[in-house]
Amino acid sequence: MPIKHAIETKQKALEINLDEQIYGSFAEIGAGQEVARYFFRAGAAAGTIAKTMSAYDKKYSDEIYGAEPNGRYVCESRLGKMLEHEYDLLEQRLRLDRSKTLFFAFADTISAINYRKTNKGHGWIGLRFQLNPTEKPNDILLHVKMHDNDNSLQQQAVGILGVNLIYACFRYPNDIDSLVQSLMDSLRDRVEIDMLRLNGPHFRGVDNRLLCLKMVRFGLSTVTMFNAAGTPMHPSETLYKQSLLVIRGSFRPITLVNVDMIKTATKQFKAEPDVDAERITVVAEITLDNLGLDGAIEEQDFLDRAELLCAQGLTVLVTDCEKHQKLINYFADYRITKLGMVTGVRILLDLINETYYQNVDGSLLLAFGALFNRHVKMYVYPVQQEGSGELMNCQNLPIPEGIKFLYQHLQNAKHIEDIRNFNPDLLHIYSKEVLRLLRSDDYGWEKMVPHSVAELIRERCLFNFPCQRLEFEY
């Protein structure tokens, strides 16, 4: 959803070069010096570039920036060291002579696709920059995945992204939507930015959780993630070779049913024979489709949900993966050893019906095989059927006749399993009803949510709770 006409990369570089107040250095590892190259070719680069460098040799790189404990070079910690080292040099060597200059240090550490095309291009890119010469600098960090199937094209994409980043930080610091969207100028379908973080004096009022939402809304990525502290994270730093349990829901608000679902499913997941209980990550997922249930996505509604999830100590995924298969495919890059999906029984029925009726051309086995591969298991929470009080679960689900044999196979192979030991006294609780009651502060809603959740809703007037909204900085 572009909000302005995109400026060409060369024009962006030239505009920065002609700004006499902006001055800095470039340190690029792994995909050529493509970002600096754009500024050199644009002309007037002497007005912008103090230094460019590229420490390709690992020993040279370690001597300059220090060795990484994990032995990796394409990682967030390496990027942080590069930015700190290069920016400090600018201050030490040039500040006395350039007291009114806005300094910046650009850095990237990239693994572009190799000659044999046996890897996937990705990397870390960052900028430490001033918007006021008397203030401390700001930081913006991002992780990028490159989709071009050619090394030179991936290098070009890194160059364009670097120019976009520098231009956005100096031209749109007060317009976060424009800053985020402009990162993809001239790069649609060529790259994916799946982690973005802003810090510094100029961005004290920016909620990085909201950045995660904007990235998915504006098509920079399919999935973003932040931890319980609200800090954006990259999945590779957290999920690699882990067992992952994903709880899908609206969490509007978190109810006692959600808590029971998480607790009981986690206990079952840990007991699986192919799950290492010491290497489990539990995340709550909110989809764009779920956020837009009442029409347009409201950022405050998202932040209210995020506030409660973080308070419960949960890592949060924001995704554009309405379909389960899309989310399962996304996690393939991180070698998840076991993927557990926690959902309600009605969602499972919708999933099975959708997969069945959309694959009547003979690809049924293929479709279900991709959805329920050997690493994936569904943990299903029951529902109390209206009127009868009877429970609907995996055993009595009204499966289409033509797929009953396949559904039985999935159950026998333990790809689908009822959540055991749930609390039947909670099944009358529905998020929509809780939301309706709390918005008018009707009696009883507080008994349907955890005590800590009720306190936060009252204290911070979440979900339009009728109270005097206090000034609160997220």
Side-chain angles (χ1 to χ4, degrees):
M1 52 179 74
I3 61 174
K4 62 185 181 319
H5 179 67
I7 303 172
E8 290 190 1
T9 310
K10 183 178 179 180
Q11 181 61 34
K12 287 184 178 183
L14 179 59
E15 188 176 321
I16 296 296
N17 282 348
L18 293 175
D19 190 325
E20 297 180 355
Q21 199 176 12
I22 300 171
Y23 199 66
S25 63
F26 295 79
E28 303 183 66
I29 297 176
Q33 290 190 290
E34 296 303 314
V35 181
R37 192 192 310 273
Y38 270 98
F39 286 92
F40 279 126
R41 288 181 172 177
T48 297
I49 299 176
K51 165 188 146 181
T52 68
M53 69 159 296
S54 186
Y56 271 79
D57 184 89
K58 292 181 179 179
K59 183 171 177 58
Y60 264 96
S61 185
D62 287 345
E63 288 294 326
I64 297 171
Y65 303 117
E68 299 300 321
N70 58 16
R72 297 162 64 190
Y73 290 85
V74 183
C75 59
E76 183 181 350
S77 58
R78 181 49 128 218
L79 178 66
K81 289 179 179 178
M82 294 170 71
L83 290 172
E84 183 172 359
H85 177 85
E86 300 302 335
Y87 189 86
D88 287 350
L89 286 181
L90 286 169
E91 288 284 352
Q92 294 166 18
R93 295 173 178 174
L94 299 177
R95 179 52 71 192
L96 287 177
D97 296 330
R98 291 176 170 268
S99 61
K100 296 182 179 180
T101 297
L102 302 177
F103 285 151
F104 74 86
F106 173 88
D108 63 44
T109 174
I110 306 291
S111 173
I113 194 168
N114 60 30
Y115 179 77
R116 294 181 177 83
K117 302 185 185 335
T118 57
N119 67 324
K120 294 183 178 180
H122 77 105
W124 289 88
I125 299 176
L127 186 73
R128 179 163 292 183
F129 63 106
Q130 288 182 302
L131 291 169
N132 185 321
T134 63
E135 286 185 345
K136 291 184 177 180
N138 307 280
D139 283 347
I140 182 168
L141 308 180
L142 63 85
H143 181 269
V144 60
K145 296 163 71 174
M146 286 96 76
H147 298 317
D148 290 317
N149 197 32
D150 176 83
N151 182 274
S152 61
L153 289 176
Q154 289 195 359
Q155 290 184 30
Q156 180 196 55
V158 170
I160 295 171
L161 179 56
V163 175
N164 287 346
L165 177 65
I166 295 170
Y167 188 87
C169 289
F170 284 110
R171 293 296 180 257
Y172 308 128
N174 300 316
D175 183 352
I176 300 302
D177 282 6
S178 292
L179 189 155
V180 172
Q181 290 183 79
S182 68
L183 295 176
M184 296 295 283
D185 286 353
S186 304
L187 287 173
R188 288 291 170 186
D189 301 322
R190 296 187 61 186
V191 304
E192 181 178 348
I193 299 172
D194 52 6
M195 200 289 291
L196 181 65
R197 189 185 308 142
L198 272 170
N199 292 300
H202 189 79
F203 301 107
R204 289 193 186 98
V206 174
D207 193 317
N208 276 290
R209 297 172 302 185
L210 199 53
L211 277 185
C212 291
L213 173 62
K214 291 179 184 295
M215 290 165 63
V216 178
R217 284 186 69 187
F218 297 150
L220 277 69
S221 180
T222 300
V223 176
T224 59
M225 170 188 290
F226 55 87
N227 63 17
T231 303
M233 308 164 63
H234 188 256
S236 66
E237 306 286 303
T238 309
L239 304 182
Y240 188 70
K241 292 186 177 180
Q242 291 273 315
S243 291
L244 176 63
L245 187 65
V246 180
I247 295 92
R248 313 195 87 183
S250 66
F251 309 108
R252 195 185 187 222
I254 297 173
T255 68
L256 291 173
V257 169
N258 296 131
V259 173
D260 189 52
M261 184 183 294
I262 294 168
K263 180 179 69 175
T264 52
T266 302
K267 185 175 180 180
Q268 272 179 243
F269 191 59
K270 285 183 176 180
E272 296 288 349
D274 52 351
V275 168
D276 181 351
E278 301 300 318
R279 293 183 60 81
I280 290 177
T281 300
V282 179
V283 301
E285 183 208 12
I286 305 176
T287 66
L288 288 188
D289 180 68
N290 204 305
L291 285 167
L293 286 177
D294 293 339
I297 293 173
E298 295 182 7
E299 293 183 348
Q300 188 57 55
D301 177 76
F302 164 76
L303 287 174
D304 290 350
R305 303 190 209 196
E307 192 69 26
L308 294 181
L309 290 169
C310 289
Q312 295 295 308
L314 288 167
T315 294
V316 179
L317 291 177
V318 185
T319 82
D320 190 18
C321 300
E322 180 185 356
K323 296 184 183 299
H324 287 67
Q325 186 61 61
K326 191 174 181 180
L327 184 64
I328 291 169
N329 291 343
Y330 177 85
F331 288 129
D333 284 346
Y334 305 111
R335 299 186 183 180
I336 301 296
T337 56
K338 184 79 171 185
L339 176 58
M341 307 282 285
V342 184
T343 190
V345 68
R346 288 199 178 101
I347 301 299
L348 173 63
L349 181 60
D350 290 343
L351 172 65
I352 288 174
N353 283 334
E354 180 182 89
T355 306
Y356 175 58
Y357 290 113
Q358 289 184 1
N359 293 275
V360 294
D361 58 352
S363 59
L364 191 62
L365 287 175
L366 184 62
F368 275 94
L371 186 59
F372 294 98
N373 65 55
R374 63 189 181 91
H375 298 296
V376 179
K377 183 167 185 174
M378 291 273 186
Y379 297 88
V380 185
Y381 201 81
V383 68
Q384 199 168 53
Q385 299 192 69
E386 295 182 17
S388 69
E390 182 184 353
L391 292 185
M392 180 189 294
N393 57 25
C394 291
Q395 308 308 314
N396 60 7
L397 208 60
I399 301 297
E401 191 65 35
I403 203 177
K404 283 186 175 180
F405 71 99
L406 183 53
Y407 178 73
Q408 187 62 52
H409 168 73
L410 293 173
Q411 283 189 293
N412 293 340
K414 300 202 178 294
H415 286 301
I416 298 174
E417 184 173 283
D418 281 311
I419 290 178
R420 302 184 294 272
N421 301 319
F422 63 90
N423 186 345
D425 295 332
L426 302 177
L427 295 181
H428 68 286
I429 297 174
Y430 295 93
S431 289
K432 286 184 178 180
E433 179 64 10
V434 175
L435 185 66
R436 184 187 69 80
L437 292 173
L438 78 84
R439 283 181 168 171
S440 56
D441 199 12
D442 281 357
Y443 174 78
W445 73 267
E446 290 178 310
K447 295 181 180 180
M448 302 180 186
V449 302
H451 179 68
S452 60
V453 168
E455 285 189 328
L456 274 176
I457 290 172
R458 283 191 172 277
E459 175 189 342
R460 300 177 184 176
C461 307
L462 305 181
F463 301 107
N464 296 320
F465 180 76
C467 66
Q468 184 69 34
R469 183 174 285 276
L470 301 176
E471 290 296 324
F472 177 75
E473 182 176 335
Y474 283 94

